[in-house]
Amino acid sequence: MMKKKIMSASKASLVLLLCQMVSALDVPLDSKLLEELSQPPTITQQSPKDYIVDPRENIVIQCEAKGKPPPSFSWTRNGTHFDIDKDAQVTMKPNSGTLVINIMNGGKAEAYEGVYQCTARNERGAAISNNIVIRPSRSPLWTKEKLEPNQVREGDSLVLHCRPPVGLPPPIIFWMDNAFQRLPQSERVSQGLNGDLYFSNVQPEDTREDYICYARFNHTQTIQQKQPISVKVFSMDSLNDTIAANLSDTDIYGAKPVTERQPVLLTPTGSTSTKVELRGNVLLLECIAAGLPTPVIRWIKEGGELPANRTFFENFKKTLKIVDVSEADSGNYKCIARNTLGSAHHVISVTVKAAPYWITAPRNLVLSPGEDGTLICRANGNPKPDISWLANGVPIAIAPEDPSRKVDGDTIIFSQVQERSSAVYQCNASNEYGYLLANAFVNVLAEPPRILTAANKLYQVIADSPALLDCAYFGSPKPEIEWFKGVKGSILRGNEYVFHDNGTLEIPVAQKDSSGTYTCVARNELGKIQNEVQLEVKDPTMIIKQPEYKVIQRYGQVSFECIIKHDSTLLPTVIWLKDNGELPGDERFLVGKDNLTIMNVTDKDDGTYTCIVNTTLDSVSASAVLTVVARPNPPFDLELTGQLERSVELSWVPGDENNSPITNFVIEYEDGLHEPGVWHHQTEVPGTQTTVQLKLSPYVNYSFRVIAVNEIGRSQPSEPSEQYLTKSANPDENPSNVQGIGSEPDNLVITWESLTGFQSNGPGLQYKVSWRQKDVDDEWTSVIVANVSKYIVSGTPTFVPYEIKVQALNDLGYAPEPSEVIGHSGEDLPMVAPGNVQVHVINSTLAKVHWDTVPLKTVRGHLQGYKVYYWKVQSLSRRSKRHVEKKILTFRGNKTFGMLPGLEPYSSYKLNVRVVNGKGEGPASPDKVFKTPEGVPSSPSFLKITNPTLDSLTLEWGSPTHPNGVLTSYILKFQPINNTHELGPLVEIRIPANESSLILKNLNYSTRYKFYFNAQTSVGSGSQITEEAVTIMDEAMASRQVDIATQGWFIGLMCAVALLILILLIVCFIRRNKGGKYPVKEKEDAHADPEIQPMKEDDGTFGEYRLFSFVSSAPF
């Protein structure tokens, strides 16, 4: 104990803290010790403060606690006692405080909304949980609203409002189309944090009628859908395409049919706004702007930098995300939207508040009687939280008085505690944004010393290293620890030892003579105890010959040595590593006792090899590097000579071969005019050649480089040669992959793969696009375009063939005449439905459908096939309608029939057929009704065997889940099973279909029967269900069987029989040894004909057939 001293008030808090550090006991986490010591309750598990539950499932409010003796539990609801015994829907788990509210058995989650708090109590105090607010999740339906179509001019901004229903928790919002595909988003089109869909400017491709907002409620796993929103964008493109042929190139590319606009913020509105966020949360700031061209968003923090490593940009930089915000993140954040016409900005003033958070949470305090201690509870927040104390769950102001306790703000001071001072204290720190609640107990214990370290524990260390000898202990008051060496040694003192507070003795530099027996003694005023441990000091492990650096050629052999010396009582293991990883699993690597050999070395074997020697006490290692000869050095001194319009000569000087001959040189070129920085393969020459004549293309600014290659690999590229610009010429080739495919019923989209700058052969690359309708005496229509790979011809007839060609030209002239390709204008939906639809039912699960093909002129596109829609209307056996699930089968090509598999027996179906082209589906044929015949039923839903008696069993069953027709009867088969699992005769009974139970009588007692049960329709029997059951044993016979074995006369008889058998065996043995022979009569008896032996019934057979009767009952 510390001596009390008089000191100034300014040092009081420091002294109190020191008292706590010195006086408080640490209880070791020893399971046996913890089981024996009394301890106030501690809450170990509880539900979250804000607990949102699924209203369809049982509510489980967790409250687990530990203590000695085990605590009891009670609950409050909305501040008053919650008597769970009076509510049949509420139960508490055994040996736990966890509540289970039975919602799935008639309870309603809304009736149990409220604030719950758990109390765990034993004789040493009471701990309380947080206030747990129970709220059932809600996923309300979308409110009905009338949605008007949105008609927007191309280039204008647009906002599609979602306005999801208010749920608990809030739903996740996303936009999809009718095909359940997410709508693509970009810098121009994106979803805001509020779920609305924002268009910075609309384009013609935004026209559609299925903008659908979905709200997903994760707790209830439901998705709500808003009504589809229609958007129509008005465009001038069609008009421009019509007159394009009569306008000059300047007119075509200089026109601006859509007015460009500078940015305007769609959200947030105005020039400034405010945002409050809590410390530790994620700060999300959003700016979405309208404008054409689409504005780009940039974020800055006024007067500071955005925090590094915590700042992220989302939604195409429209959302600024800062994770784990703190008060330092408060300030003004500016978003700037900019395009080529100007900019707009908005300033968001962010204030970071803070719910309470711990600076110093109170910690459990274990004291001895008469000791002092403190509980400290310090928290911070914005605003600063209020601190209040409770004792055993009761406000400390009205709790029972304790003369050893004094409350001083955020500190409770304990002086001269007694065992009755044990209690659990709660500290509550709260402000307007939340609260913290911590339990900390004061446990006053009086315990004699205990040593927890095992007796005679052996410690082994390496010489010249530290030795730590444990003496884990506990006692109250805290015991004093002393160490002795040897049985009668003196107490250990001096600089060569370090005595730790946890009882451990440390010998900083153990020597061989440090080995021996050490005794630890723990004593306090309640008693004394000691324990002995053993220390052995071993010689260190050393590598006396280490591996050395090696240089080796490919395919050679190399060896590393690793010779060691170690303590004779330790068993070393040697491990080899390559580059700190395992050796390759390769038979070329041979590990010997003292070396590593690598056969057939390759360049992959290059690296650092390490020898590691491990014992149970130490580890040493040594490394060496293996270098394998490398690739050749790059060529140098490149020179161009003999420059012509389409050829040049290149020469160079080879670099060092690095002991591997150069096999060839690779020449690459760079086009500095069209693709600077990109190198292309030009040619290869043998390794003996140092000059090459290169073919060139017009209008290319060439640079060349050379790479040397040997068996090891390629060298680094040489330095580039001087540049050489060739003269321009007409294009040598035309665009490839020319196609004509319409995107709309009235247009033809001509596309091609553009020539590269290398292929252009000169400046001013353009394309002459020509087209005319096939099989019509029309002239070619042509237009010249540049910097594009697509041209749209408008006003075409629907799906007619066109001849198309695309010719390249530049400032010097045209390429050769291009070849023609055939394309088609756009498709439209088919006009008519297939006729003469017929259905042939093959069996109860398969049907074949036939139809007539439609005229090709009415297809209005490429015929892709036919789709058959079919659905089940109702089951003919149950006459009950259900949700209609349509199925679709697609038959490719010009087919006129198809098979419909997987049908359900005895059901009514409908189907129709539609023709399909590249645009979509045509109209449906009239619905065709067909019915499937009966099939065999599924197995009965269950079979139960109850009420066993001496000679009867009761069977109950359920009808098949899928009768697949009209049930005609049930078939019951059964047979007995003997002790060797052999089956007896099979009995079959037919039961009317309206029966659901049956009583079998006249059965054998104490006999196991196996039952086979199935249902029948007019088609046949369904799958069967099996069960086994046993009739009960006759009590009188059972008692006789037990009694006979315990009778004295029975035991004596068995002993006499055993003795007689023994005597006979002895006589036979003596007679055999004397050479005697058995009489002929005995031999004959020993080999008697088995066919004339008397019949003997074996217990394992069935020798009795009996008449069975049954009583059945039909279901009500």
Side-chain angles (χ1 to χ4, degrees):
M1 296 291 293
M2 293 183 62
K3 296 182 179 180
K4 296 182 179 179
K5 297 183 179 179
I6 301 174
M7 57 195 69
S8 64
S10 63
K11 298 181 181 178
S13 59
L14 175 61
V15 172
L16 289 175
L17 180 60
L18 290 174
C19 287
Q20 182 178 12
M21 294 173 61
V22 172
S23 300
L25 295 174
D26 288 329
V27 180
L29 296 177
D30 183 270
S31 58
K32 184 176 180 182
L33 175 63
L34 292 176
E35 288 178 1
E36 297 176 356
L37 295 180
S38 297
Q39 180 177 309
T42 300
I43 301 290
T44 58
Q45 190 174 359
Q46 56 183 314
S47 292
K49 294 178 182 179
D50 190 8
Y51 188 14
I52 300 175
V53 299
D54 191 331
R56 303 166 300 180
E57 298 179 355
N58 291 342
I59 301 174
V60 179
I61 312 177
Q62 290 185 328
C63 180
E64 304 292 341
K66 64 180 181 179
K68 181 69 175 180
S72 60
F73 297 88
S74 62
W75 285 85
T76 62
R77 178 184 173 191
N78 297 328
T80 60
H81 176 66
F82 184 32
D83 191 348
I84 63 174
D85 295 332
K86 294 183 178 180
D87 192 333
Q89 303 294 339
V90 183
T91 58
M92 186 183 295
K93 289 185 177 180
N95 303 317
S96 166
T98 297
L99 293 184
V100 178
I101 302 175
N102 196 334
I103 300 302
M104 300 176 68
N105 195 23
K108 291 190 175 181
E110 293 78 5
Y112 292 94
E113 285 192 68
V115 180
Y116 293 76
Q117 189 172 46
C118 171
T119 301
R121 186 185 308 275
N122 68 11
E123 62 189 28
R124 289 199 164 243
I128 62 175
S129 69
N130 291 320
N131 285 328
I132 302 170
V133 180
I134 301 295
R135 297 184 294 168
S137 63
R138 297 180 178 88
S139 52
L141 297 176
W142 228 295
T143 56
K144 292 185 177 180
E145 56 181 322
K146 185 177 181 181
L147 300 177
E148 297 293 339
N150 292 273
Q151 298 186 356
V152 195
R153 185 177 60 186
E154 181 182 358
D156 287 355
S157 62
L158 176 63
V159 180
L160 301 183
H161 297 289
C162 180
R163 300 189 184 99
V166 178
L168 183 68
I172 297 173
I173 305 302
F174 51 94
W175 289 81
M176 302 179 76
D177 59 17
N178 273 332
F180 297 103
Q181 299 297 315
R182 285 188 178 268
L183 296 175
Q185 299 191 23
S186 62
E187 287 186 341
R188 186 178 63 84
V189 184
S190 61
Q191 178 181 318
L193 295 176
N194 64 352
D196 292 347
L197 191 63
Y198 292 85
F199 296 76
S200 296
N201 53 81
V202 296
Q203 301 296 326
E205 60 264 26
D206 297 327
T207 297
R208 62 191 309 155
E209 297 180 351
D210 57 349
Y211 287 94
I212 306 174
C213 181
Y214 289 85
R216 183 173 68 215
F217 298 88
N218 284 342
H219 258 69
T220 56
Q221 297 181 348
T222 57
I223 296 178
Q224 305 286 358
Q225 172 186 338
K226 188 183 180 74
Q227 292 177 324
I229 301 175
S230 173
V231 174
K232 173 68 175 177
V233 180
F234 293 100
S235 170
M236 299 296 289
D237 283 351
S238 299
L239 179 60
N240 288 341
D241 289 341
T242 303
I243 64 175
N246 300 318
L247 299 177
S248 67
D249 292 349
T250 304
D251 292 332
I252 292 177
Y253 300 113
K256 292 185 178 180
V258 180
T259 304
E260 295 183 342
R261 295 174 289 105
Q262 67 180 19
V264 176
L265 287 173
L266 297 175
T267 183
T269 57
S271 60
T272 61
S273 60
T274 60
K275 172 82 172 181
V276 176
E277 192 54 80
L278 291 182
R279 179 181 186 268
N281 286 356
V282 176
L283 174 65
L284 293 174
L285 304 178
E286 178 182 59
C287 275
I288 301 178
L292 186 66
T294 302
V296 177
I297 304 296
R298 186 168 66 93
W299 291 89
I300 61 173
K301 183 180 182 183
E302 294 183 344
E305 298 291 335
L306 295 174
N309 302 324
R310 294 189 294 115
T311 300
F312 303 92
F313 298 100
E314 297 179 345
N315 198 17
F316 309 96
K317 292 191 176 182
K318 300 174 188 179
T319 302
L320 171 65
K321 176 181 178 180
I322 301 177
V323 300
D324 193 21
V325 295
S326 65
E327 290 84 344
D329 295 320
S330 297
N332 292 334
Y333 292 80
K334 179 187 285 188
C335 69
I336 304 168
R338 186 184 304 277
N339 66 9
T340 55
L341 299 184
S343 65
H345 69 269
H346 184 93
V347 177
I348 305 174
S349 179
V350 175
T351 303
V352 179
K353 298 289 186 179
Y357 57 92
W358 291 118
I359 296 176
T360 303
R363 301 178 62 185
N364 294 334
L365 199 58
V366 181
L367 300 173
S368 302
E371 287 188 327
D372 303 339
T374 58
L375 288 180
I376 300 176
C377 175
R378 290 185 182 142
N380 201 357
N382 186 9
K384 188 171 181 62
D386 296 325
I387 304 293
S388 61
W389 289 94
L390 299 88
N392 294 327
V394 178
I396 203 163
I398 61 174
E401 291 188 4
D402 183 352
S404 67
R405 178 183 69 212
K406 179 183 177 183
V407 179
D408 184 10
D410 59 8
T411 304
I412 301 181
I413 305 167
F414 297 93
S415 304
Q416 297 293 316
V417 297
Q418 301 302 319
E419 285 199 60
R420 64 177 180 273
S421 301
S422 295
V424 183
Y425 291 87
Q426 292 82 31
C427 172
N428 185 303
S430 60
N431 66 12
E432 61 186 276
Y433 297 108
Y435 74 93
L436 294 173
L437 177 69
N439 289 276
F441 62 68
V442 175
N443 196 12
V444 182
L445 297 173
E447 295 286 336
R450 308 181 192 200
I451 293 181
L452 307 177
T453 300
N456 293 314
K457 186 174 182 179
L458 176 62
Y459 293 89
Q460 295 179 326
V461 298
I462 295 295
D464 298 325
S465 63
L468 296 172
L469 309 182
D470 292 334
C471 183
Y473 68 92
F474 179 74
S476 183
K478 184 178 181 181
E480 294 181 355
I481 303 298
E482 293 177 331
W483 280 91
F484 300 84
K485 183 179 181 185
V487 179
K488 297 182 180 179
S490 58
I491 187 171
L492 297 181
R493 293 187 178 88
N495 295 331
E496 65 267 31
Y497 303 104
V498 178
F499 303 94
H500 293 273
D501 291 340
N502 63 356
T504 298
L505 169 65
E506 178 181 353
I507 306 174
V509 183
Q511 301 297 329
K512 293 287 284 185
D513 59 3
S514 300
S515 300
T517 301
Y518 290 80
T519 303
C520 165
V521 178
R523 57 166 61 88
N524 67 9
E525 61 190 42
L526 299 179
K528 166 187 163 184
I529 192 171
Q530 69 180 40
N531 186 45
E532 292 182 354
V533 296
Q534 308 296 324
L535 174 62
E536 293 181 357
V537 181
K538 308 289 186 179
D539 291 326
T541 305
M542 295 182 293
I543 299 178
I544 57 177
K545 187 167 185 181
Q546 300 184 354
E548 299 176 348
Y549 172 75
K550 303 280 185 178
V551 177
I552 191 70
Q553 276 193 343
R554 198 174 173 189
Y555 307 126
Q557 176 178 322
V558 66
S559 182
F560 294 106
E561 287 188 297
C562 183
I563 301 176
I564 64 173
K565 178 182 178 182
H566 60 90
D567 190 286
S568 60
T569 62
L570 298 178
L571 183 62
T573 58
V574 179
I575 301 174
W576 286 91
L577 302 179
K578 178 181 183 295
D579 297 329
N580 295 322
E582 293 183 358
L583 290 177
D586 193 328
E587 61 184 10
R588 298 181 301 108
F589 290 79
L590 305 177
V591 179
K593 178 182 178 183
D594 299 322
N595 58 47
L596 167 67
T597 302
I598 307 174
M599 312 288 291
N600 246 352
V601 173
T602 68
D603 55 324
K604 293 183 179 179
D605 301 330
D606 207 83
T608 301
Y609 290 82
T610 304
C611 166
I612 301 178
V613 184
N614 292 319
T615 69
T616 54
L617 299 180
D618 63 348
S619 177
V620 292
S621 65
S623 299
V625 174
L626 172 65
T627 300
V628 181
V629 287
R631 304 169 179 85
N633 294 342
F636 56 95
D637 284 352
L638 273 67
E639 184 179 5
L640 296 177
T641 57
Q643 290 91 338
L644 299 174
E645 286 189 4
R646 297 224 175 187
S647 68
V648 70
E649 185 176 274
L650 172 67
S651 61
W652 61 90
V653 177
D656 194 331
E657 294 181 345
N658 288 332
N659 300 319
S660 180
I662 295 174
T663 58
N664 58 293
F665 293 98
V666 177
I667 292 87
E668 296 180 339
Y669 72 90
E670 175 197 27
D671 182 358
L673 187 62
H674 304 105
E675 291 183 293
V678 179
W679 290 88
H680 302 274
H681 182 272
Q682 173 84 10
T683 188
E684 293 186 20
V685 297
T688 57
Q689 186 174 328
T690 59
T691 62
V692 63
Q693 191 78 17
L694 301 175
K695 293 182 179 180
L696 307 180
S697 294
Y699 194 55
V700 177
N701 193 12
Y702 281 100
S703 292
F704 299 96
R705 68 183 187 185
V706 183
I707 299 170
V709 182
N710 66 9
E711 289 185 350
I712 306 302
R714 295 162 63 103
S715 72
Q716 292 293 320
S718 68
E719 292 294 323
S721 71
E722 61 181 295
Q723 292 185 332
Y724 176 48
L725 177 62
T726 56
K727 293 182 179 180
S728 302
N730 292 12
D732 293 327
E733 53 188 308
N734 286 304
S736 60
N737 196 23
V738 178
Q739 294 182 336
I741 303 173
S743 61
E744 297 294 338
D746 60 350
N747 74 7
L748 171 66
V749 180
I750 302 173
T751 60
W752 60 90
E753 287 187 11
S754 300
L755 299 182
T756 64
F758 183 85
Q759 297 170 312
S760 66
N761 283 9
L765 177 64
Q766 294 178 300
Y767 303 98
K768 180 181 178 182
V769 184
S770 304
W771 67 93
R772 69 180 178 185
Q773 189 171 337
K774 190 174 183 295
D775 300 327
V776 177
D777 190 16
D778 282 350
E779 296 293 329
W780 288 94
T781 302
S782 301
V783 62
I784 295 177
V785 296
N787 301 321
V788 295
S789 60
K790 177 175 72 173
Y791 185 79
I792 300 176
V793 180
S794 300
T796 64
T798 300
F799 196 67
V800 296
Y802 277 84
E803 295 175 318
I804 303 166
K805 57 184 180 179
V806 180
Q807 185 178 25
L809 66 151
N810 61 18
D811 290 350
L812 278 77
Y814 285 86
E817 183 68 21
S819 58
E820 300 173 5
V821 298
I822 303 299
H824 286 81
S825 57
E827 300 181 63
D828 205 347
L829 294 176
M831 299 174 62
V832 300
N836 194 24
V837 177
Q838 300 293 329
V839 180
H840 172 58
V841 178
I842 297 175
N843 56 41
S844 60
T845 62
L846 181 67
K848 185 176 184 180
V849 58
H850 295 262
W851 61 87
D852 291 343
T853 59
V854 299
L856 288 180
K857 289 185 178 180
T858 66
V859 177
R860 298 200 294 180
H862 295 286
L863 176 63
Q864 294 188 354
Y866 293 85
K867 282 188 178 181
V868 177
Y869 285 73
Y870 64 101
W871 62 96
K872 179 180 174 182
V873 179
Q874 68 177 19
S875 172
L876 298 178
S877 61
R878 298 187 177 180
R879 300 292 182 184
S880 59
K881 293 186 177 180
R882 64 172 190 174
H883 172 69
V884 175
E885 179 184 357
K886 290 191 175 181
K887 298 181 180 179
I888 305 173
L889 284 177
T890 301
F891 300 95
R892 300 292 180 185
N894 198 18
K895 295 191 70 173
T896 60
F897 68 92
M899 307 299 290
L900 305 182
L903 304 176
E904 294 186 17
Y906 207 48
S907 300
S908 176
Y909 280 86
K910 286 185 178 181
L911 65 76
N912 58 53
V913 186
R914 311 174 191 199
V915 66
V916 183
N917 65 12
K919 187 71 173 179
E921 301 175 6
S925 66
D927 290 348
K928 189 76 175 179
V929 179
F930 67 96
K931 298 177 181 180
T932 55
E934 290 188 72
V936 297
S938 62
S939 62
S941 57
F942 68 88
L943 175 62
K944 294 194 300 184
I945 305 176
T946 59
N947 301 328
T949 67
L950 286 172
D951 63 348
S952 69
L953 294 170
T954 300
L955 282 69
E956 298 177 354
W957 59 86
S959 59
T961 307
H962 301 288
N964 294 338
V966 178
L967 296 182
T968 58
S969 63
Y970 292 101
I971 301 299
L972 172 65
K973 299 178 183 179
F974 64 96
Q975 57 191 150
I977 307 174
N978 67 7
N979 295 335
T980 60
H981 301 287
E982 294 177 346
L983 298 175
L986 188 67
V987 179
E988 179 176 326
I989 298 173
R990 183 177 297 273
I991 304 168
N994 61 345
E995 302 290 347
S996 63
S997 64
L998 177 144
I999 300 175
L1000 279 178
K1001 294 185 177 181
N1002 295 328
L1003 303 175
N1004 292 334
Y1005 63 83
S1006 188
T1007 301
R1008 177 175 294 277
Y1009 288 90
K1010 187 167 186 178
F1011 296 89
Y1012 314 87
F1013 193 68
N1014 61 282
Q1016 281 190 332
T1017 64
S1018 59
V1019 176
S1021 299
S1023 56
Q1024 65 183 12
I1025 184 172
T1026 63
E1027 280 291 342
E1028 293 185 10
V1030 182
T1031 56
I1032 64 175
M1033 179 183 291
D1034 181 69
E1035 296 181 0
M1037 176 174 289
S1039 64
R1040 288 197 300 272
Q1041 291 175 350
V1042 173
D1043 291 344
I1044 191 171
T1046 60
Q1047 297 299 314
W1049 64 268
F1050 180 79
I1051 296 173
L1053 178 62
M1054 292 298 101
C1055 292
V1057 171
L1059 180 60
L1060 180 60
I1061 293 173
L1062 179 60
I1063 293 172
L1064 289 174
L1065 289 174
I1066 293 173
V1067 171
C1068 292
F1069 180 76
I1070 293 173
R1071 292 181 64 183
R1072 181 178 293 275
N1073 288 342
K1074 289 182 178 181
K1077 296 185 178 180
Y1078 294 100
V1080 174
K1081 172 62 175 163
E1082 292 178 0
K1083 292 186 178 181
E1084 290 176 352
D1085 291 342
H1087 298 84
D1089 189 346
E1091 294 185 359
I1092 62 174
Q1093 296 294 319
M1095 295 185 66
K1096 183 178 182 180
E1097 185 175 350
D1098 190 354
D1099 289 341
T1101 64
F1102 296 93
E1104 179 182 2
Y1105 296 89
R1106 305 181 66 175
L1107 177 64
F1108 298 94
S1109 64
F1110 67 92
V1111 178
S1112 63
S1113 62
F1116 293 103

